[in-house]
Amino acid sequence: MSDPLRIGNASGFYGDRRAAVREMLEGGPLDVLTGDYLAELTMLILGRDRAADPTRGYARTFLAQLEECLGLARDRGVRLVVNAGGTNPAGLADAVRALADRLGVPTAVAHVEGDDLLPRAAELGLGEPLTANAYLGAFGIAACLDAGADVVVTGRVTDASLVVGPGISAFGWGRDDLDALAGAMVAGHVLECGTQATGGNLSSFAEHPVEQLLHPGFPLAELHADGSAVVTKHPGTGGVVDVDTVTAQLLYEVTGARYAGPDAVARFDTVQLTADGPDRVRLSGTRGEPPPPDTKVCLNALGGHRNEVTFVLTGERVAAKAALVRAQFEAALAPRPAELVWSAVGTEQPGADTEAGASVLLRAQATDPRAEVVGRAFSGAAVELALASYPGFHLTAPPGNGSAFGVYTPAFVPQAVVPHVAVLPDGSRVDVPPPATTAPLAPAGEALHPSTGPGGGGGASPARGGWGPTRRARLGRVARARSGDKGGTATIGLWARTDTAAAWLAAAITPDVVRELLPEAADLPVTVHPLPNLRAVDVVVEGLLGRGVAASTRFDPQGKAVGEWLLGREVDVPEALL
């Protein structure tokens, strides 16, 4: 194929915009439309679905979208590649065939399987989880497309594989075409979160008219045979695609310059971004390396039960009111939950113009292996204080009966022990061999300010010699951010708009500075990685999110707003940059 392959995205998570499939099919020409429905938490949800009913375990919203749009996709000649199969890709493939038959739309359906390691968990040393899914690569998807599939359903492949697979099929890439594979991985990483590449969740959102961001269009990539790509969107759709939006998504949830997958390692410190016209950004220069011999496994296990209650403290003496209700509530808990975490939202402002503004929210979260400890006993202890506690007592909502929660744990197994099978439209099964050439994953150079733990790394002052006079200012005056989670680890991408500001950012942001600016990270390991070609640094804070989103008692369990918090903190900034 000599022309670029136009690959769109219509889903960044399970629950994303239902109309996106239709919008992308009707908005302009496409060759392939992808959908990313999976995350660690989603695998837990789908695993529990499958445990309750073995015929379930997939993203049912995809079927609803397909019912509306399968005929449209066929009319437009667009092939669909989605990981909506979750923990049961074969089940979803069967459901798609049944839907196509009912609609009278001839459809060749294939799926990729082998990622489910649950039956072999003990053998592989993975314990006794609820789900155990290895991250597969893209060559199974390519085999399905090569066999003429109109719809390809997968389970837990890497997010980028949804784009890399069509590239392999279209351009004939082999295992040794590492630069091309890595370039497609970068394009896939940009597309995987949908509208986060077209202005969604953008630090610099205020630089764009509100009307432009009301309904961002989903992104697409024009992928070329050398692995380079142009990220854009359909003409006339909302949102924006520029170097800023693409940088933000490139930095999302990465943990250094080497971005590893089962097919290749993409060097993010080689990616070049250039404007290519209105709403067009070119990705080029990406270098690839052999993949690691091991692949990651997403393990989810049931961790116990949880509940929470939020008390509203209004007016003066907030600290005294909080102390009273904490003491009363804890005294009433028998038995005491294994974990009880208190957190406050807001500060005392008794003279505020609204009652809400004069209130502080005090939240108590409890977890315990025993459902009864955090169920009615926990809820009842809060409700029974209604007429016996601080003045103005009320709750944001009646506490519930609690719910089960899961714990995500990453593991690694050799790629050679993971079956990777493409089940073609005719039912035949093709084994996809693991890569013949691998290399252990090594750091891409040294971290800017490596830290083995609290107290390590550079000085605590972000001011540096040679920058001239400085002034206290919020970090957001000179930087942008996007943050997220990798299990219990928070990742924060920081970038600047100019080379000078980027050089200062690289010198100023050290682990100790991060700990100073984010007191909640004061006792945690922090590492800062350089990405100078993106004018960026990548900050990794281990353990900030506890045991991960499903089990976290943190106010922001996925770390989505940690970057915005960091931008709001004050540092010594060279006046020349202001």
Side-chain angles (χ1 to χ4, degrees), residues 58 101 132 212 250 282 300 302 432 439 465 481 484 506 512:
Y58 52 79
D101 290 343
Q212 192 173 11
L250 273 178
R282 181 172 296 277
N300 280 296
L302 294 179
V432 178
D512 281 346

Side-chain angles (χ1 to χ4, degrees), residues 360-371:
V360 172
L361 303 182
L362 179 67
R363 186 170 65 157
Q365 289 182 288
T367 63
D368 196 277
R370 300 158 294 179

Side-chain angles (χ1 to χ4, degrees), residues 248-296:
Q249 180 54 30
L250 273 178
L251 295 175
Y252 182 61
E253 296 183 342
V254 299
T255 54
R258 276 190 165 97
Y259 186 81
D263 300 320
V265 171
R267 290 290 297 259
F268 271 42
D269 53 355
T270 63
V271 181
Q272 299 295 323
L273 302 184
T274 52
D276 194 58
D279 288 317
R280 292 175 62 85
V281 173
R282 181 172 296 277
L283 306 168
S284 62
T286 305
R287 299 302 303 273
E289 296 174 342
D294 294 343
T295 189
K296 190 164 94 170

